[in-house]
Amino acid sequence: IYYKYEGVSPAGSHKPNTAVPQAYYNREAGVRKLTTETGAGQWGSSLAFAGALFGIDVQVGQWVVTAYMIALSVVIPVSGFLAERVGMKRLYLITMGLFVLSSAMCGLAWDFPSLVVARILQGLGGGMLQPLGMAIVFSTVTPRERPQFMGVLGLPMLVGSAARQLWQFAYNQGGGKRDMTALVTYLEAW
């Protein structure tokens, strides 16, 4: 049985093994400030520890995740109400457009507050995509075809979760444009 004792690490984990070299090479490159979005966990504390070793200011931004989750949780309950008022197809296209645009804004954010605002917009757009997508599938395909369509609908979320960070924002751009084109084409007669 392998036992790893992490109690000797000031950060309480093995994460300084990667945080210390990152801080060192950033300092060597002339970087004076690093930002991470995961502050409460092991990585944020490890990067703060490593930054202190090399005189680099580390800004931990938990609001990147929190702002997105709050926006997401606010719009999910109202998606059915808005779909009845605006129309399911139109609302889906609007929210997909908002999600794609805000994903680009996340990738191009110039500072931490602009990233938080972009993530709020991304949560507002992305929060309705799942319930609206399921509602569209359930209203347009036969019960026999639903499992296949639900699998296709869930795949981008699985890939997006695995891709993370900048890669996720880049994927949202290409995937969002493709999904909007497919949706308009598929639902043309609907």
Side-chain angles (χ1 to χ4, degrees), residues 63-137:
W63 274 105
V64 174
V65 176
T66 304
Y68 176 80
M69 295 306 288
I70 290 171
L72 189 82
S73 63
V74 166
V75 297
I76 289 174
V78 298
S79 58
F81 171 79
L82 290 175
E84 289 177 1
R85 299 292 184 269
V86 177
M88 227 182 305
K89 177 183 174 182
R90 181 178 293 143
L91 185 61
Y92 190 88
L93 291 172
I94 290 169
T95 57
M96 178 64 81
L98 178 61
F99 185 72
V100 169
L101 179 65
S102 59
S103 293
M105 290 170 58
C106 288
L108 300 172
W110 54 92
D111 61 4
F112 184 71
S114 66
L115 179 60
V116 171
V117 169
R119 288 288 283 174
I120 291 170
L121 293 174
Q122 192 180 39
L124 293 174
M128 288 194 228
L129 293 176
Q130 173 89 19
L132 288 173
M134 285 196 284
I136 290 170
V137 167

Side-chain angles (χ1 to χ4, degrees), residues 35-45 60-62 64-65 164-165:
T35 302
T36 181
E37 70 173 86
T38 55
Q42 297 173 350
W43 177 250
S45 59
V60 178
Q62 189 61 35
V64 174
V65 176
R164 292 283 286 147
Q165 302 302 349

Side-chain angles (χ1 to χ4, degrees), residues 119-161:
R119 288 288 283 174
I120 291 170
L121 293 174
Q122 192 180 39
L124 293 174
M128 288 194 228
L129 293 176
Q130 173 89 19
L132 288 173
M134 285 196 284
I136 290 170
V137 167
F138 273 79
S139 63
T140 58
V141 300
T142 65
R144 186 174 186 85
E145 297 172 316
R146 285 180 188 163
Q148 177 186 358
F149 278 88
M150 294 305 289
V152 170
L153 186 65
L155 187 61
M157 287 176 267
L158 177 67
V159 172
S161 296

